[in-house]
Amino acid sequence: MAAPLFVPNRRLFLGALGASFFTTRGLFAEHLFGTPRMTEGPFYPDQLPLDQDNDLIIISDSLTPAVGEITNLTGRILDAKGQPLKNALVEIWQCDANQVYLHTSDSKPKAKQQDKNFQGYGKFETASTGEYKFRTIKPVPYPGRPAPHIHFKVSQNGHELITTQLMIRGHAGNLQDGVFAGITDLVDRELCQTDFKKVSDSKTGELAAKWDVVIGRTPDERDMGEHS
Amino acid sequence: MLALDANSDKKLSKDEVTDERLQSLFERADTNKDGSLTKAELTAIYKKESANLSQRRGGPGGGPGGPGGRGPRGNAQGHPGGPPGRPGEVLPEPVRERLQLTEGQKKKLDALQADVDRRLESILEEEQMATLVQMQSEGPPGGPGFGPPGGGGPGGFGPPPGGPGGPGGFGQRPGRPGENGNPPQRPAAEE
């Protein structure tokens, strides 16, 4: 029986913890764990929208907002020492509340289903604080991807630093999800999830999600064994 | 060994886990709420939160059942969703569900489990622990034919390995019926 099992094997048993808390990764208190890299997936927009701002809820000056649970998504882009990265371009994309991506191979066949008021893609460039900010919807599952997620790509001076995905902490779909399953390290799993919490003073029930992205390993390592 | 363990006491205190992104994990893992994490507690939460994931990893299509539950305790009909046992597991998940534990009981049970894990780990050397886990995943020595073929039983209900009963069902479990249209397959006879 070669298939992985409940406690798949010794390598994974030790590796799952070993690679994180319990082995030397040259980690010291001032070092942060790098955010795990993940597949870009097939739906980075093939045609970027006219409106590419950081508010994905309203397209241009439309009066109709997107369908979905409005989420204020914030965080910082940091290096492994915790230093903020400035002029880092943060791009996000995700499917709309009706499970349609802003990509012609998805939105064409699903034209009727698509929420035309959702921007689907947005970008933001960090200042010296490394902070980014988006207004978007809480991600929903997509057919074949039970884990709701938001795609992230961070670049600086035209060089890509990381491509990854943000998932909802503790969402049941994560455990059914092939991409999530590809992350075998306890800490790595933690680092690709965050809470989507109700904003206490929001009358409209808006959510807030905070997620820092730490650029760890060199970008050249991407595309190595992280397909799904 | 403990990369973050600044004072080398083989535990991680809250002060040592400075990365705020890991606070939630810390709190979930610290089942006895003593403000520090042992390797046993980390192991326990990893397994707890991976349980469903591992089941899924049995793969689409289900695949043949494993060597099967050990002896009489193995549930010949299989128990889809029942995780295999692991060393020292007090009550496996399906059993916990069946018993409809209260929140308070679950917490106490988690604490007990963390305690068991810790003590088991303190008794065994790291290599022995690894060997034990490896044995579990590979099935008992002698391999196939040890128990009735078919879906693994609920397993892990018995005492730790060495005693009668004990963990069963380390094979790939049959896929959940209807999950992908394929009925769970009986394994080919392995004897």
Side-chain angles (χ1 to χ4, degrees), chain B residues 62-179:
Chain B
R70 239 191 250 183
R73 279 189 192 256
N75 178 350
Q77 293 179 343
H79 196 299
R86 62 185 184 81
E89 182 162 27
V90 180
L91 293 180
E93 201 56 42
V95 177
R96 290 171 60 133
E97 273 171 31
R98 185 81 182 271
L99 294 177
Q100 300 185 324
L101 301 174
T102 65
E103 282 308 308
Q105 287 174 317
K106 282 182 194 163
K107 279 203 181 116
K108 282 183 190 165
L109 194 60
D110 286 342
L112 173 64
Q113 185 66 60
D115 206 36
V116 170
D117 289 342
R118 192 177 320 115
R119 287 170 67 175
L120 183 61
E121 191 154 327
S122 74
I123 293 166
L124 298 177
E125 298 295 326
E126 193 164 308
E127 277 297 300
Q128 292 174 315
M129 195 72 191
T131 306
L132 181 59
V133 169
Q134 191 175 23
M135 279 168 61
Q136 294 248 307
S137 61
E138 286 172 355
F146 201 79
F157 202 65
F170 302 117
Q172 232 177 332
R173 276 171 308 288
R176 251 176 272 159
E179 196 169 44

Side-chain angles (χ1 to χ4, degrees), chain A residues 75-78 84-88 90 124 126-132:
Chain A
R76 292 173 300 163
I77 309 298
L78 306 170
L85 264 65
K86 72 170 178 181
N87 303 125
V90 184
F124 189 88
T126 62
S128 57
T129 60
E131 291 170 317
Y132 70 83

Side-chain angles (χ1 to χ4, degrees), chain B residues 5-24:
Chain B
D5 182 18
N7 64 1
S8 305
D9 63 353
K10 300 214 170 183
K11 286 181 181 175
L12 291 174
S13 71
K14 214 151 190 182
D15 298 343
E16 288 167 330
V17 182
T18 51
D19 193 329
E20 64 181 47
R21 297 171 299 164
L22 300 176
Q23 274 176 12
S24 166

Side-chain angles (χ1 to χ4, degrees), chain A residues 11-212:
Chain A
R11 183 193 59 75
L12 186 53
F13 173 70
L14 295 174
L17 298 164
S20 51
F21 281 124
F22 287 93
T23 56
T24 306
R25 245 190 194 175
L27 271 171
F28 299 95
E30 69 270 22
H31 279 68
L32 298 173
F33 291 103
T35 303
R37 295 162 195 283
M38 271 179 264
T39 175
E40 176 174 308
F43 295 131
Y44 179 89
D46 54 343
Q47 295 165 14
L48 291 174
L50 289 175
D51 185 358
Q52 303 176 9
D53 71 0
N54 64 337
D55 182 354
L56 284 69
I57 302 296
I58 299 282
I59 298 180
S60 302
D61 49 4
S62 164
L63 296 175
T64 314
V67 177
E69 290 186 84
I70 295 177
T71 299
N72 296 286
L73 173 62
T74 59
R76 292 173 300 163
I77 309 298
L78 306 170
D79 69 15
K81 290 178 180 165
Q83 296 299 310
L85 264 65
K86 72 170 178 181
N87 303 125
L89 181 68
V90 184
E91 297 174 277
I92 66 167
W93 67 101
Q94 65 185 106
C95 69
D96 66 32
N98 300 331
Q99 307 185 315
V100 183
Y101 274 97
L102 187 77
H103 186 289
T104 51
S105 70
D106 201 40
S107 59
K108 264 190 184 163
K110 297 187 194 164
K112 280 187 184 163
Q113 190 179 330
Q114 187 181 19
D115 175 10
K116 302 281 194 303
N117 295 307
F118 184 58
Q119 192 171 297
Y121 167 94
K123 64 183 182 185
F124 189 88
E125 190 171 323
T126 62
S128 57
T129 60
E131 291 170 317
Y132 70 83
K133 191 175 163 76
F134 289 99
R135 201 162 164 265
T136 187
I137 60 169
K138 184 179 178 183
V140 298
Y142 181 84
R145 284 298 310 277
H149 59 280
I150 298 176
H151 294 269
F152 269 73
K153 190 188 282 290
V154 181
S155 51
Q156 199 179 32
N157 304 321
H159 295 290
E160 189 179 312
L161 300 177
I162 189 172
T163 298
T164 188
Q165 301 178 18
L166 166 63
M167 305 188 196
I168 301 170
R169 180 173 288 138
H171 191 282
N174 296 351
L175 297 176
Q176 314 288 327
D177 190 87
V179 175
F180 187 83
I183 306 165
T184 53
D185 185 278
L186 178 69
V187 169
D188 281 346
R189 276 190 198 158
E190 192 66 17
L191 297 179
C192 68
Q193 302 175 70
T194 199
D195 294 313
F196 286 66
K197 295 179 185 158
K198 282 258 185 313
V199 180
S200 54
D201 57 352
S202 166
K203 292 196 173 66
T204 50
E206 291 194 7
L207 306 176
K210 186 171 174 290
W211 191 53
D212 289 343

